[in-house]
Amino acid sequence: MTKAAELLGISQSAASAAIRALEEQHGVHLFNRVGRNIELAQTGHRFLPEAKAVLERAAAARNVLEHVSHTVAGSLSIAASLTIASYWLPRRLASFHEAYPAVRLSVTIGNTRQVEASVLDGTADLGLVEGRTESDILRRAKVDTDRLMLVVASSHPEIAETAPGHPDIRGLRWIIREGGSGTREVLEDLARREGISLADLQIFLVLPSNEAVRQAVEAGAGATIISDLVVGRAVAEGSLRSVPLELPKRDFAMITHRDRQASLAQMALKAHLGAETTGSAPA
């Protein structure tokens, strides 16, 4: 309830009062109160698709008025994967806010699969991911590229190679992200190119954040493949060592729902992120 109120820009008590008034008006219970938490009741589950449909229609109506008035305003809910949200997006949103101060932005963070789900169910207006997406009803537009690195602690022993420039990935102890993350996909792809599966590798730790992975590797727990955005400074300062390995660059991409009309604010953000990437001044 608190998170929902924050997203709407109202107080938690106001959100609770609005739900209570709706329940009392129709003589139903939309939520079950379980201790300090709430969960959708059966009536709430039946009502949810209708509520989402109303919100989508309201958003479509708002978009029409924005297009008529040519005013870039309103709100944008963005779901972003962890690397993008932590290292790539913040300064770009700051400059977007300077260009379009009437647009209110909110950001949620998850892995690529979670971001994709948020865009599909309408929880987010748009998503920013570095991993592959699976749904064919999403539009995908590249906004930048990311360089990946294989890194170990500076004190890590020399790594055996199966061929020049090809470290023996079976011999390494790995620290990796959780399933569904774009960073983990890169290691899965590398293993496939070597003719093995992830199960053939020595997976020592599975961690939910880039920072946790970086710190574990710095502590000497093993190796990882991770974005240069996350570990570039640590490599430059000498706490991590980059292991020569040719890895393909990956795209940072914006995803939107094919069947939902983009607002002026969404189009402005897409243009702004593209301009930031190419170094052009935002429109």
Side-chain angles (χ1 to χ4, degrees), residues 119 125-127 137-140 254-258 266:
V119 176
D125 296 315
L126 58 91
I137 61 173
L138 292 178
R139 292 190 180 97
R140 184 180 174 107
M254 177 185 289
I255 57 173
T256 54
H257 199 290
R258 186 183 63 196
Q266 284 177 250

Side-chain angles (χ1 to χ4, degrees), residues 190-230:
L190 175 62
R192 275 193 292 269
R193 291 201 305 272
E194 297 289 325
I196 60 176
S197 71
L198 204 65
D200 295 318
L201 301 180
Q202 301 178 55
I203 308 297
F204 174 62
L205 274 176
V206 179
L207 296 170
S209 76
N210 292 320
E211 279 301 302
V213 170
R214 181 185 61 78
Q215 291 187 33
V217 174
E218 283 186 341
T224 198
I225 292 175
I226 198 165
S227 170
D228 175 54
L229 293 172
V230 180

Side-chain angles (χ1 to χ4, degrees), residues 1 5 27 36 40 73 76 95 101 103 134 145 153 158 160 165 171 178 202 209 218 230 246 261 263 268 270-271 278:
M1 189 69 72
R36 295 173 58 86
L40 277 176
L76 270 181
S95 61
V103 179
E134 298 176 349
T145 55
E158 288 301 314
E178 79 287 354
Q202 301 178 55
S209 76
E218 283 186 341
V230 180
E246 186 175 342
Q261 183 182 5
S263 66
K270 180 178 178 180
T278 60

Side-chain angles (χ1 to χ4, degrees), residues 5-147:
E6 290 174 355
L7 185 63
L8 294 170
I10 61 178
S11 67
Q12 187 271 337
S13 58
S16 297
I19 290 175
R20 187 164 55 251
L22 186 63
E23 290 177 325
E24 291 175 354
Q25 180 180 355
H26 297 282
V28 297
H29 288 287
L30 298 173
F31 294 93
N32 294 319
R33 276 72 179 177
V34 182
R36 295 173 58 86
N37 300 317
I38 62 171
E39 59 185 28
L40 277 176
Q42 184 177 2
T43 304
H45 279 291
R46 291 179 60 188
F47 179 60
L48 182 60
E50 302 300 326
K52 286 184 175 180
V54 169
L55 291 174
E56 288 177 6
R57 289 299 302 159
R62 188 165 55 247
N63 289 346
V64 170
L65 293 177
E66 287 178 3
H67 282 276
V68 169
S69 65
H70 300 289
T71 300
V72 181
S75 61
L76 270 181
S77 58
I78 303 163
S81 53
L82 193 60
T83 302
I84 292 174
S86 300
Y87 300 95
W88 184 87
L89 188 59
R91 71 172 183 84
R92 290 170 170 82
L93 290 188
S95 61
F96 179 80
H97 177 68
E98 290 181 4
Y100 302 101
V103 179
R104 187 177 68 191
L105 301 167
S106 63
V107 179
T108 57
I109 301 174
N111 62 37
T112 296
R113 293 286 81 77
Q114 292 165 335
V115 172
E116 181 178 14
S118 294
V119 176
L120 286 171
D121 68 19
T123 306
D125 296 315
L126 58 91
L128 291 163
V129 296
E130 69 262 9
R132 290 185 293 269
T133 46
E134 298 176 349
S135 173
D136 59 1
I137 61 173
L138 292 178
R139 292 190 180 97
R140 184 180 174 107
K142 175 182 170 182
V143 293
D144 207 349
T145 55
D146 183 34
R147 187 168 74 94

